[in-house]
PDB file of all heavy atoms in Angstrom:
ATOM      1  N   ASP A1204      36.439   9.684  -6.241  1.00 95.00           N
ATOM      2  CA  ASP A1204      35.990  10.689  -5.274  1.00 95.00           C
ATOM      3  C   ASP A1204      34.569  11.192  -5.555  1.00 95.00           C
ATOM      4  O   ASP A1204      34.056  12.048  -4.820  1.00 95.00           O
ATOM      5  CB  ASP A1204      36.964  11.859  -5.219  1.00 95.00           C
ATOM      6  CG  ASP A1204      37.097  12.589  -6.558  1.00 95.00           C
ATOM      7  OD1 ASP A1204      36.555  12.093  -7.571  1.00 95.00           O
ATOM      8  OD2 ASP A1204      37.757  13.656  -6.586  1.00 95.00           O
ATOM      9  N   ALA A1205      33.912  10.671  -6.573  1.00 96.00           N
ATOM     10  CA  ALA A1205      32.533  11.079  -6.867  1.00 96.00           C
ATOM     11  C   ALA A1205      31.602  10.605  -5.761  1.00 96.00           C
ATOM     12  O   ALA A1205      31.734   9.486  -5.258  1.00 96.00           O
ATOM     13  CB  ALA A1205      32.091  10.511  -8.209  1.00 96.00           C
ATOM     14  N   ILE A1206      30.673  11.463  -5.369  1.00 97.00           N
ATOM     15  CA  ILE A1206      29.697  11.113  -4.335  1.00 97.00           C
ATOM     16  C   ILE A1206      28.441  10.556  -4.995  1.00 97.00           C
ATOM     17  O   ILE A1206      27.889  11.151  -5.921  1.00 97.00           O
ATOM     18  CB  ILE A1206      29.372  12.321  -3.448  1.00 97.00           C
ATOM     19  CG1 ILE A1206      30.591  12.689  -2.596  1.00 97.00           C
ATOM     20  CG2 ILE A1206      28.165  12.032  -2.551  1.00 97.00           C
ATOM     21  CD1 ILE A1206      30.406  13.924  -1.752  1.00 97.00           C
ATOM     22  N   VAL A1207      28.013   9.388  -4.506  1.00 98.00           N
ATOM     23  CA  VAL A1207      26.843   8.702  -5.050  1.00 98.00           C
ATOM     24  C   VAL A1207      25.842   8.484  -3.921  1.00 98.00           C
ATOM     25  O   VAL A1207      26.189   7.916  -2.883  1.00 98.00           O
ATOM     26  CB  VAL A1207      27.240   7.340  -5.659  1.00 98.00           C
ATOM     27  CG1 VAL A1207      26.002   6.609  -6.158  1.00 98.00           C
ATOM     28  CG2 VAL A1207      28.245   7.528  -6.786  1.00 98.00           C
ATOM     29  N   VAL A1208      24.619   8.937  -4.120  1.00 98.00           N
ATOM     30  CA  VAL A1208      23.569   8.732  -3.121  1.00 98.00           C
ATOM     31  C   VAL A1208      22.672   7.586  -3.578  1.00 98.00           C
ATOM     32  O   VAL A1208      22.172   7.580  -4.704  1.00 98.00           O
ATOM     33  CB  VAL A1208      22.728   9.996  -2.902  1.00 98.00           C
ATOM     34  CG1 VAL A1208      21.661   9.755  -1.829  1.00 98.00           C
ATOM     35  CG2 VAL A1208      23.610  11.171  -2.495  1.00 98.00           C
ATOM     36  N   ASN A1209      22.507   6.620  -2.693  1.00 97.00           N
ATOM     37  CA  ASN A1209      21.644   5.464  -2.929  1.00 97.00           C
ATOM     38  C   ASN A1209      20.251   5.794  -2.405  1.00 97.00           C
ATOM     39  O   ASN A1209      20.017   5.823  -1.197  1.00 97.00           O
ATOM     40  CB  ASN A1209      22.232   4.250  -2.184  1.00 97.00           C
ATOM     41  CG  ASN A1209      21.373   3.005  -2.289  1.00 97.00           C
ATOM     42  OD1 ASN A1209      20.239   3.043  -2.763  1.00 97.00           O
ATOM     43  ND2 ASN A1209      21.904   1.893  -1.811  1.00 97.00           N
ATOM     44  N   VAL A1210      19.332   6.070  -3.324  1.00 96.00           N
ATOM     45  CA  VAL A1210      17.936   6.324  -2.961  1.00 96.00           C
ATOM     46  C   VAL A1210      17.148   5.057  -3.258  1.00 96.00           C
ATOM     47  O   VAL A1210      17.149   4.564  -4.387  1.00 96.00           O
ATOM     48  CB  VAL A1210      17.357   7.514  -3.757  1.00 96.00           C
ATOM     49  CG1 VAL A1210      15.871   7.679  -3.457  1.00 96.00           C
ATOM     50  CG2 VAL A1210      18.103   8.796  -3.414  1.00 96.00           C
ATOM     51  N   GLN A1211      16.487   4.508  -2.249  1.00 93.00           N
ATOM     52  CA  GLN A1211      15.756   3.253  -2.427  1.00 93.00           C
ATOM     53  C   GLN A1211      14.607   3.434  -3.421  1.00 93.00           C
ATOM     54  O   GLN A1211      13.921   4.460  -3.428  1.00 93.00           O
ATOM     55  CB  GLN A1211      15.203   2.767  -1.092  1.00 93.00           C
ATOM     56  CG  GLN A1211      16.258   2.573  -0.007  1.00 93.00           C
ATOM     57  CD  GLN A1211      17.259   1.484  -0.359  1.00 93.00           C
ATOM     58  OE1 GLN A1211      16.907   0.471  -0.949  1.00 93.00           O
ATOM     59  NE2 GLN A1211      18.512   1.696  -0.008  1.00 93.00           N
ATOM     60  N   GLY A1212      14.380   2.409  -4.239  1.00 93.00           N
ATOM     61  CA  GLY A1212      13.346   2.486  -5.260  1.00 93.00           C
ATOM     62  C   GLY A1212      11.935   2.379  -4.745  1.00 93.00           C
ATOM     63  O   GLY A1212      10.979   2.437  -5.531  1.00 93.00           O
ATOM     64  N   ASP A1213      11.770   2.234  -3.422  1.00 93.00           N
ATOM     65  CA  ASP A1213      10.426   2.164  -2.835  1.00 93.00           C
ATOM     66  C   ASP A1213      10.152   3.353  -1.912  1.00 93.00           C
ATOM     67  O   ASP A1213       9.408   3.245  -0.953  1.00 93.00           O
ATOM     68  CB  ASP A1213      10.236   0.844  -2.084  1.00 93.00           C
ATOM     69  CG  ASP A1213      11.297   0.606  -1.011  1.00 93.00           C
ATOM     70  OD1 ASP A1213      12.108   1.522  -0.747  1.00 93.00           O
ATOM     71  OD2 ASP A1213      11.316  -0.492  -0.419  1.00 93.00           O
ATOM     72  N   GLU A1214      10.767   4.500  -2.242  1.00 94.00           N
ATOM     73  CA  GLU A1214      10.587   5.719  -1.442  1.00 94.00           C
ATOM     74  C   GLU A1214      10.020   6.838  -2.315  1.00 94.00           C
ATOM     75  O   GLU A1214      10.675   7.861  -2.559  1.00 94.00           O
ATOM     76  CB  GLU A1214      11.926   6.156  -0.841  1.00 94.00           C
ATOM     77  CG  GLU A1214      12.565   5.159   0.098  1.00 94.00           C
ATOM     78  CD  GLU A1214      11.950   5.188   1.487  1.00 94.00           C
ATOM     79  OE1 GLU A1214      11.147   6.095   1.756  1.00 94.00           O
ATOM     80  OE2 GLU A1214      12.273   4.295   2.290  1.00 94.00           O
ATOM     81  N   PRO A1215       8.783   6.695  -2.798  1.00 95.00           N
ATOM     82  CA  PRO A1215       8.234   7.692  -3.721  1.00 95.00           C
ATOM     83  C   PRO A1215       7.940   9.052  -3.097  1.00 95.00           C
ATOM     84  O   PRO A1215       7.698  10.027  -3.826  1.00 95.00           O
ATOM     85  CB  PRO A1215       6.945   7.036  -4.217  1.00 95.00           C
ATOM     86  CG  PRO A1215       6.556   6.106  -3.122  1.00 95.00           C
ATOM     87  CD  PRO A1215       7.839   5.579  -2.561  1.00 95.00           C
ATOM     88  N   LEU A1216       7.947   9.137  -1.776  1.00 95.00           N
ATOM     89  CA  LEU A1216       7.682  10.404  -1.097  1.00 95.00           C
ATOM     90  C   LEU A1216       8.939  10.989  -0.458  1.00 95.00           C
ATOM     91  O   LEU A1216       8.852  11.933   0.329  1.00 95.00           O
ATOM     92  CB  LEU A1216       6.615  10.204  -0.012  1.00 95.00           C
ATOM     93  CG  LEU A1216       5.263   9.651  -0.481  1.00 95.00           C
ATOM     94  CD1 LEU A1216       4.332   9.449   0.715  1.00 95.00           C
ATOM     95  CD2 LEU A1216       4.610  10.569  -1.511  1.00 95.00           C
ATOM     96  N   ILE A1217      10.110  10.486  -0.803  1.00 95.00           N
ATOM     97  CA  ILE A1217      11.335  10.927  -0.157  1.00 95.00           C
ATOM     98  C   ILE A1217      11.553  12.426  -0.341  1.00 95.00           C
ATOM     99  O   ILE A1217      11.277  12.991  -1.407  1.00 95.00           O
ATOM    100  CB  ILE A1217      12.552  10.124  -0.671  1.00 95.00           C
ATOM    101  CG1 ILE A1217      13.775  10.396   0.204  1.00 95.00           C
ATOM    102  CG2 ILE A1217      12.822  10.409  -2.148  1.00 95.00           C
ATOM    103  CD1 ILE A1217      14.917   9.429  -0.019  1.00 95.00           C
ATOM    104  N   ASP A1218      12.041  13.067   0.699  1.00 96.00           N
ATOM    105  CA  ASP A1218      12.281  14.506   0.689  1.00 96.00           C
ATOM    106  C   ASP A1218      13.574  14.809  -0.075  1.00 96.00           C
ATOM    107  O   ASP A1218      14.644  14.344   0.324  1.00 96.00           O
ATOM    108  CB  ASP A1218      12.393  14.995   2.140  1.00 96.00           C
ATOM    109  CG  ASP A1218      12.600  16.495   2.253  1.00 96.00           C
ATOM    110  OD1 ASP A1218      12.688  17.176   1.213  1.00 96.00           O
ATOM    111  OD2 ASP A1218      12.691  16.984   3.400  1.00 96.00           O
ATOM    112  N   PRO A1219      13.516  15.579  -1.150  1.00 97.00           N
ATOM    113  CA  PRO A1219      14.738  15.909  -1.883  1.00 97.00           C
ATOM    114  C   PRO A1219      15.789  16.604  -1.017  1.00 97.00           C
ATOM    115  O   PRO A1219      16.995  16.395  -1.215  1.00 97.00           O
ATOM    116  CB  PRO A1219      14.248  16.833  -2.994  1.00 97.00           C
ATOM    117  CG  PRO A1219      12.805  16.469  -3.179  1.00 97.00           C
ATOM    118  CD  PRO A1219      12.316  16.112  -1.815  1.00 97.00           C
ATOM    119  N   ASP A1220      15.349  17.396  -0.043  1.00 97.00           N
ATOM    120  CA  ASP A1220      16.308  18.084   0.830  1.00 97.00           C
ATOM    121  C   ASP A1220      17.100  17.096   1.681  1.00 97.00           C
ATOM    122  O   ASP A1220      18.266  17.341   2.014  1.00 97.00           O
ATOM    123  CB  ASP A1220      15.582  19.078   1.745  1.00 97.00           C
ATOM    124  CG  ASP A1220      15.047  20.283   0.991  1.00 97.00           C
ATOM    125  OD1 ASP A1220      15.519  20.536  -0.142  1.00 97.00           O
ATOM    126  OD2 ASP A1220      14.143  20.959   1.516  1.00 97.00           O
ATOM    127  N   LEU A1221      16.475  15.971   2.045  1.00 97.00           N
ATOM    128  CA  LEU A1221      17.182  14.958   2.833  1.00 97.00           C
ATOM    129  C   LEU A1221      18.260  14.291   1.981  1.00 97.00           C
ATOM    130  O   LEU A1221      19.362  14.015   2.477  1.00 97.00           O
ATOM    131  CB  LEU A1221      16.190  13.913   3.356  1.00 97.00           C
ATOM    132  CG  LEU A1221      16.771  12.802   4.232  1.00 97.00           C
ATOM    133  CD1 LEU A1221      17.430  13.382   5.487  1.00 97.00           C
ATOM    134  CD2 LEU A1221      15.685  11.800   4.618  1.00 97.00           C
ATOM    135  N   ILE A1222      17.963  14.048   0.722  1.00 98.00           N
ATOM    136  CA  ILE A1222      18.967  13.484  -0.192  1.00 98.00           C
ATOM    137  C   ILE A1222      20.186  14.390  -0.249  1.00 98.00           C
ATOM    138  O   ILE A1222      21.334  13.943  -0.107  1.00 98.00           O
ATOM    139  CB  ILE A1222      18.373  13.300  -1.600  1.00 98.00           C
ATOM    140  CG1 ILE A1222      17.216  12.291  -1.576  1.00 98.00           C
ATOM    141  CG2 ILE A1222      19.452  12.847  -2.589  1.00 98.00           C
ATOM    142  CD1 ILE A1222      16.455  12.185  -2.893  1.00 98.00           C
ATOM    143  N   THR A1223      19.939  15.672  -0.442  1.00 97.00           N
ATOM    144  CA  THR A1223      21.040  16.637  -0.539  1.00 97.00           C
ATOM    145  C   THR A1223      21.815  16.730   0.767  1.00 97.00           C
ATOM    146  O   THR A1223      23.047  16.813   0.769  1.00 97.00           O
ATOM    147  CB  THR A1223      20.494  18.020  -0.925  1.00 97.00           C
ATOM    148  OG1 THR A1223      19.829  17.928  -2.190  1.00 97.00           O
ATOM    149  CG2 THR A1223      21.602  19.052  -1.028  1.00 97.00           C
ATOM    150  N   ALA A1224      21.098  16.697   1.897  1.00 97.00           N
ATOM    151  CA  ALA A1224      21.750  16.829   3.200  1.00 97.00           C
ATOM    152  C   ALA A1224      22.700  15.662   3.475  1.00 97.00           C
ATOM    153  O   ALA A1224      23.796  15.858   4.015  1.00 97.00           O
ATOM    154  CB  ALA A1224      20.697  16.919   4.303  1.00 97.00           C
ATOM    155  N   VAL A1225      22.305  14.442   3.109  1.00 98.00           N
ATOM    156  CA  VAL A1225      23.166  13.283   3.334  1.00 98.00           C
ATOM    157  C   VAL A1225      24.394  13.358   2.425  1.00 98.00           C
ATOM    158  O   VAL A1225      25.517  13.047   2.849  1.00 98.00           O
ATOM    159  CB  VAL A1225      22.381  11.973   3.130  1.00 98.00           C
ATOM    160  CG1 VAL A1225      23.309  10.766   3.166  1.00 98.00           C
ATOM    161  CG2 VAL A1225      21.322  11.833   4.216  1.00 98.00           C
TER     162      VAL A1225
END
Side-chain angles (χ1 to χ4, degrees):
D1204 61 352
I1206 291 176
V1207 177
V1208 181
N1209 177 350
V1210 175
Q1211 303 296 323
D1213 56 7
E1214 299 281 351
L1216 302 177
I1217 191 167
D1218 182 358
D1220 289 342
L1221 182 60
I1222 297 173
T1223 300
V1225 172

